[in-house]
Amino acid sequence: MIVFFKALVLVPVTLLPILNPIAIAPIFLSMTGPIEPAIANRLAKRIAINCFLLLMGAIFIGSYVLDFFGISLPIVRVAGGIVVSMAGWKLLNDQSQDKLLNSVAATHGGQWNHEELRRRSFYPFSFPLTVGPGTIAASVTIGTQMPHKPIDWLLTSFASALGVLLTTLVIYLCYRFARNMERFLGDVGATVLLRLSAFILLCIGIEIGWAGVSDLLAELSQH
């Protein structure tokens, strides 16, 4: 049972600070624009499902995929850090919110058909906005720490799946009620939170990239 609860707690505790759905929620709103509540609910559900599948795949098969292509985790961290940093930098610029509204929200005018909803829910909302390369790298790391004993592996796998489910539930709730949070904060508060979220996203990207560079330098020094 200790192994089970340890794995159950490990996934949300590790991934939620990187995902940071509360800080990403204002960015999500800025990219969707004026959207009907029913469509926002469906979009939040699809994003949560996509994130669940992405995280499960990263935990259970991510390390095998990287080994197949010969890609190391430090390289994933460096690439992920660059992507996340660029997204944060763009959002931090003065007119970044208007650009996002023009590029995403203005394409649907609040009315999304089924195909558009399915396509947008994965890119850019599920990946890379919510589950970015940094989160994938952390998930792959969790997967590499699975025990080899069959009973412990089964317990850990089940607990990890529950942990991913809890994590994606938090994502769903944050996105589902993002509009309520925006009304509570008001226009000024929402703008401040958006800029702060963008700065945090930039810092996270730099931290992820630096972690990858540090690992590469450590490997180089060993050789």
Side-chain angles (χ1 to χ4, degrees), residues 47-93:
I47 292 173
I49 293 172
N50 291 337
C51 291
F52 178 81
L53 296 176
L54 283 171
L55 294 176
M56 289 290 288
I59 289 175
F60 289 101
I61 65 173
S63 59
Y64 301 104
V65 173
L66 293 181
D67 289 340
F68 178 79
F69 288 102
I71 302 173
S72 63
L73 276 177
I75 295 297
V76 174
R77 292 192 180 100
V78 172
I82 293 173
V83 173
V84 174
S85 298
M86 289 178 62
W89 178 256
K90 289 180 180 179
L91 288 167
L92 202 57
N93 292 330

Side-chain angles (χ1 to χ4, degrees), residues 187-206:
D187 293 337
V188 176
T191 301
V192 172
L193 185 58
L194 174 64
R195 300 304 178 191
L196 181 60
S197 302
F199 180 71
I200 292 174
L201 195 65
L202 175 63
C203 294
I204 290 174
I206 294 174

Side-chain angles (χ1 to χ4, degrees), residues 95-154:
Q95 296 181 346
S96 59
Q97 185 173 353
D98 296 333
K99 290 178 181 178
L100 285 171
L101 288 171
N102 290 333
S103 62
V104 179
T107 60
H108 59 82
Q111 297 290 334
W112 293 27
N113 57 40
H114 179 75
E115 182 62 28
E116 182 77 7
L117 183 70
R118 185 178 65 177
R119 183 170 62 87
R120 294 292 190 183
S121 67
F122 181 78
Y123 181 85
F125 294 115
S126 299
F127 179 86
L129 181 64
T130 306
V131 177
T135 307
I136 291 176
S139 301
V140 172
T141 304
I142 293 174
T144 59
Q145 297 173 354
M146 290 282 187
H148 297 289
K149 189 176 179 181
I151 298 298
D152 290 342
W153 185 88
L154 287 174

Side-chain angles (χ1 to χ4, degrees), residues 6 36 44 94 97 99 134 182 203:
K6 182 179 179 181
E36 294 182 356
D94 292 339
Q97 185 173 353
K99 290 178 181 178
E182 183 186 44
C203 294

Side-chain angles (χ1 to χ4, degrees), residues 214-223:
S214 299
D215 292 340
L216 290 174
L217 291 175
E219 292 180 4
L220 184 62
S221 64
Q222 292 177 358
H223 295 292

Side-chain angles (χ1 to χ4, degrees), residues 4-21 55 59 135 139 142 159-170:
F4 178 84
F5 285 110
K6 182 179 179 181
L8 178 63
V9 173
L10 177 65
V11 174
V13 168
T14 302
L15 298 183
L16 281 176
I18 303 174
L19 289 165
N20 201 5
L55 294 176
I59 289 175
T135 307
S139 301
I142 293 174
S160 298
L162 287 179
V164 171
L165 183 62
L166 291 175
T167 302
T168 52
L169 179 61
V170 174

